[in-house]
Each structure stands twice: as structure tokens, then as C-alpha cells.
């Protein structure tokens, strides 16, 4: 089984290939722009997670882990900025 699971504040959204109808989960990594409009990749990245085209979670801090049972399933744990 392959796919992506996003965990955020006790909720999760998943998109697995071998299931029936699943939401489409998209991960975008963005870098902040400086005042001249150029991307500066030495600054912290922001991770945005979209489910069916709508923003589900957004943070600078995430953890990516493989699944326990299915190693080809990515688990993204999104941490709000004030968590440890």
C-alpha cells in the first residue's frame, strides 16, 4: 500500500492508492521571499498541506515518518509553532 497521511491537532487526512474514493493530499514546500522578491532558501521553509484543494495545515515544523505496517505510506506530523 502506498500513500500519504497528514496528522494535525488530533485530526488526520489520508490518501491511499489501494482504497476506494480518497481525498487528494498535496504537500507544498514554500520559502519566504525577501524584500526584493527573490526566494531565499536559507530561511526556514513553510509546509502547506492541501486536501482536495483546500488548506488543511500550515507550519514550519513537521516530522516525516514511514508507516509501521506499510513502509511506503508517508506520515506527516504537523506541529503548531508553540509545541515541543
Amino acid at each position: 500500500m502506498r500513500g500519504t497521511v497528514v496528522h494535525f491537532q488530533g485530526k488526520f487526512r489520508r490518501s491511499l492508492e489501494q482504497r476506494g474514493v480518497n481525498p487528494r493530499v498535496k504537500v507544498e514546500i514554500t520559502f519566504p521571499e525577501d524584500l526584493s522578491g527573490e526566494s531565499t532558501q536559507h530561511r526556514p521553509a513553510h509546509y502547506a498541506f492541501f486536501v482536495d484543494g483546500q488548506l488543511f495545515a500550515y507550519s514550519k515544523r513537521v516530522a516525516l515518518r514511514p508507516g509501521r505496517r506499510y513502509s511506503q505510506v508517508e506520515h506527516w506530523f504537523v506541529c503548531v509553532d508553540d509545541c515541543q
Side-chain angles (χ1 to χ4, degrees):
M1 185 175 301
R2 304 178 73 134
T4 303
V5 180
V6 179
H7 303 265
F8 179 64
Q9 293 183 341
K11 300 176 187 173
F12 66 93
R13 298 292 185 266
R14 64 180 167 217
S15 177
L16 303 173
E17 285 184 4
Q18 296 178 354
R19 297 274 178 143
V21 177
N22 286 311
R24 297 186 60 129
V25 175
K26 181 179 176 186
V27 180
E28 287 187 7
I29 301 172
T30 60
F31 293 96
E33 295 181 356
D34 63 8
L35 295 177
S36 65
E38 295 181 16
S39 177
T40 55
Q41 294 190 5
H42 62 276
R43 294 186 184 177
H46 290 81
Y47 299 87
F49 298 88
F50 294 91
V51 177
D52 288 335
Q54 294 188 352
L55 184 65
F56 173 66
Y58 182 79
S59 181
K60 292 182 201 178
R61 298 179 52 184
V62 298
L64 176 61
R65 308 258 189 237
R68 291 184 197 157
R69 182 179 294 170
Y70 303 105
S71 61
Q72 294 180 337
V73 175
E74 301 176 328
H75 287 264
W76 291 83
F77 294 91
V78 181
C79 185
V80 291
D81 292 333
D82 60 347
C83 68
Q84 300 274 337

